[in-house]
Amino acid sequence: MRILQLTKETKHNILNDLLKRSPNHYTEFEDRVADIIAAVRKDQDAAVFSYTKKFDGADITSENVKVTDAEIKEAYAKVDEKLLSVIRKAKENIRIYHEKQKQYSWFDSEESGILLGQKVTAIQTAGVYVPGGKAVYPSSVLMNVLPAKVAGVDRIIMTTPPEADGSVYASTLVAAKEAGVDEIYKVGGAQAIAAMAFGTQSIPKADKIVGPGNIYVALAKKAVFGYVSIDSIAGPSEILVLADETANPRFVAADLLSQAEHDELASAILITTSQTLAKQVSEEIDRFTEVLSRKEIISKSLENYGYILIAETMEEAIAAANDIASEHLEIVTENAYEVMTKIRNAGAIFIGEYSSEPLGDYFAGPNHVLPTNGTAKFFSPLGVDDFIKKSSVISYSKEALEAVYQDIAQFAECEKLTAHANSIRVRFEKESS
């Protein structure tokens, strides 16, 4: 793994390289995605089933597109009891964490006859996309569904690509049932996003679509934003480790590789004040890579987006971490909590050598759907807030309005909006005549 001195130039170059991984740079796929969306809007089920046959090889129709209770029961029979137990433990941790995020309506009233407030309402229908294909993601099901359940969403639908025989991974179905999904549909890719955005004869329209996916899914979510809400346009996975000479190089190397194995565009960065640690971590990475099952993906990821940066001071290292704004940030330093207070930009922060990133991916409770590609500077992890909306509440008595109506009318006339002014004055025309 390459070792570089942290300078303004190296940081600038790394930031530019990382931004190239954003879905916004894959414009060559946009026309194809637009064609799929247009076809689904026009032909609905027929287009969805045609694309499912083309891309997944499955013969899906209106008769079998929806997962049945019998299929879910069969999935439970296939899932190992130990895995089911882990899913249930993780589900409870995730639920408890997100319960603390709940917001409630509030109202303030005054004796003058003014009532102001905010009404918090869950969205009616949430659509959750769960990837299929090369990997199975029951953890993604839990992380996307449980915040919606805690928020009080009325109806949660899920789409996921089928296998060629029309089946869906057993662990995905079990996780969906455990989390409380109401309906599951066998469709993936951009066609699934379009179906949830606009609705078809078989698949209902959602108010918001969440969940990760490949470049086609990401660009489809971007294209339908505005017709529906979305969580984010997620990029490849990232980890940044801040470490000093007290860190265990074997632990650090293992954690960097936990993200590098995702795909060839994943980013793994160590920023350290210790040259000795830098060399030790590089050596450990070489040893681990030789024995790990996804060796080729890891090697490509590290070759493209893997860096060990040596900083002169921890303050310089922290500043670089804030500029990079990584999806996952591990702090493995002597004064880790003090360092944490200086972090402004990170999707999730892991403190101490026993808080490895996969703990957050699967089990601890905080959401693993996180901002990527520097968007942690202005986005937050998926949470309960993503599944609620807020309405302002305003109520004035006649007496309360009478005390201020001339001020409001003057403001409206300043903006040359005379109908605005009239709608206020008309209520007091008798008093002023």
Side-chain angles (χ1 to χ4, degrees):
M1 196 166 169
R2 81 197 94 176
I3 301 176
L4 302 172
Q5 195 70 31
L6 177 59
T7 64
K8 286 184 178 179
E9 183 180 4
T10 56
K11 183 172 69 175
H12 175 76
N13 291 338
I14 289 169
L15 286 170
N16 281 342
D17 283 345
L18 295 178
L19 287 173
K20 291 175 185 176
R21 306 171 312 135
S22 167
N24 292 321
H25 281 76
Y26 289 82
T27 54
E28 68 269 26
F29 298 104
E30 286 182 344
D31 287 344
R32 279 182 258 176
V33 169
D35 288 343
I36 292 171
I37 292 171
V40 172
R41 289 191 73 177
K42 179 177 180 289
D43 298 324
Q44 300 185 54
D45 271 1
V48 170
F49 301 152
S50 175
Y51 285 122
T52 303
K53 179 65 175 177
K54 178 179 180 180
F55 297 131
D56 300 306
D59 291 310
I60 299 299
T61 68
S62 59
E63 300 298 317
N64 65 359
V65 66
K66 186 176 179 180
V67 172
T68 64
D69 290 341
E71 287 175 294
I72 293 174
K73 185 177 180 180
E74 183 181 346
Y76 271 88
K78 292 179 179 178
V79 169
D80 183 86
E81 283 295 326
K82 290 182 180 178
L83 175 59
L84 180 57
S85 175
V86 172
I87 287 173
R88 286 172 173 166
K89 289 176 184 177
K91 177 185 77 170
E92 189 63 6
N93 290 345
I94 297 164
R95 183 194 63 77
I96 290 170
Y97 180 87
H98 287 84
E99 285 281 357
K100 294 177 172 63
Q101 297 180 344
K102 288 182 73 171
Q103 294 194 45
Y104 300 91
S105 301
W106 59 266
F107 303 94
D108 282 342
S109 60
E110 300 177 10
E111 290 184 5
S112 60
I114 299 172
L115 183 145
L116 300 175
Q118 182 171 269
K119 185 175 184 293
V120 176
T121 310
I123 63 173
Q124 276 190 291
T125 304
V128 176
Y129 184 85
V130 177
K134 296 178 182 178
V136 189
Y137 297 104
S139 63
S140 183
V141 177
L142 299 180
M143 292 292 184
N144 281 277
V145 174
L146 287 167
K149 291 296 290 186
V150 170
V153 174
D154 294 341
R155 185 184 192 187
I156 301 174
I157 65 172
M158 188 179 103
T159 61
T160 189
E163 294 291 283
D165 63 0
S167 65
V168 176
Y169 287 122
S171 58
T172 298
L173 293 183
V174 167
K177 180 67 175 177
E178 290 291 322
V181 173
D182 296 298
E183 302 151 41
I184 306 168
Y185 296 92
K186 303 172 187 176
V187 54
Q191 61 272 23
I193 302 302
M196 289 191 286
F198 301 106
T200 73
Q201 292 93 337
S202 298
I203 300 169
K205 181 187 185 309
D207 299 308
K208 182 160 190 167
I209 300 172
V210 301
N214 62 18
I215 188 62
Y216 291 97
V217 170
L219 290 176
K221 287 170 70 176
K222 180 182 177 183
V224 302
F225 177 65
Y227 296 100
V228 294
S229 178
I230 62 171
D231 51 350
S232 63
I233 304 168
S237 189
E238 307 163 344
I239 186 170
L240 189 153
V241 179
L242 272 178
D244 60 16
E245 68 282 355
T246 66
N248 183 317
R250 191 165 172 82
F251 292 177
V252 172
D255 291 356
L256 292 169
L257 295 178
S258 73
Q259 296 309 291
E261 77 167 343
H262 270 293
D263 63 61
E264 295 175 1
L265 295 176
S267 167
I269 299 173
L270 165 64
I271 305 180
T272 180
T273 51
S274 169
Q275 290 194 4
T276 300
L277 181 75
K279 292 176 183 177
Q280 291 173 332
V281 169
S282 181
E283 291 167 0
E284 291 289 354
I285 281 174
D286 290 341
R287 281 193 280 269
F288 274 130
T289 301
E290 284 302 311
V291 299
L292 291 169
S293 62
R294 295 167 71 88
K295 176 181 176 180
E296 290 185 13
I297 292 174
I298 288 171
S299 297
K300 278 288 186 183
S301 168
L302 296 180
E303 179 184 335
N304 294 328
Y305 302 106
Y307 301 94
I308 296 176
L309 303 175
I310 300 175
E312 290 291 331
T313 65
M314 184 53 64
E315 292 302 319
E316 184 183 36
I318 292 168
N322 280 324
D323 285 339
I324 293 170
S326 186
E327 177 188 17
H328 307 99
L329 173 67
E330 290 189 6
I331 303 173
V332 195
T333 62
E334 186 175 14
N335 53 346
Y337 285 94
E338 181 184 338
V339 171
M340 181 270 292
T341 64
K342 299 175 182 177
I343 297 298
R344 296 182 63 92
N345 306 319
I349 302 171
F350 300 79
I351 301 174
E353 65 180 9
Y354 290 99
S355 304
S356 178
E357 186 279 334
L359 176 66
D361 269 355
Y362 298 113
F363 199 77
N367 211 287
H368 78 195
V369 181
L370 303 167
T372 59
N373 277 110
T375 60
K377 291 179 179 178
F378 45 83
F379 280 143
S380 304
L382 187 73
V384 172
D385 280 357
D386 288 283
F387 298 97
I388 63 170
K389 54 194 179 64
K390 301 166 186 175
S391 302
S392 302
V393 176
I394 303 167
S395 176
Y396 269 51
S397 67
K398 179 182 178 182
E399 293 72 23
L401 183 60
E402 188 171 16
V404 297
Y405 86 93
Q406 290 180 341
D407 295 337
I408 301 165
Q410 184 177 1
F411 221 143
E413 287 171 347
C414 167
E415 296 185 350
K416 295 183 170 54
L417 297 174
T418 55
H420 279 62
N422 182 61
S423 80
I424 293 290
R425 283 203 172 107
V426 72
R427 286 163 167 77
F428 301 101
E429 54 193 1
K430 288 184 180 179
E431 286 84 343
S432 58
S433 60

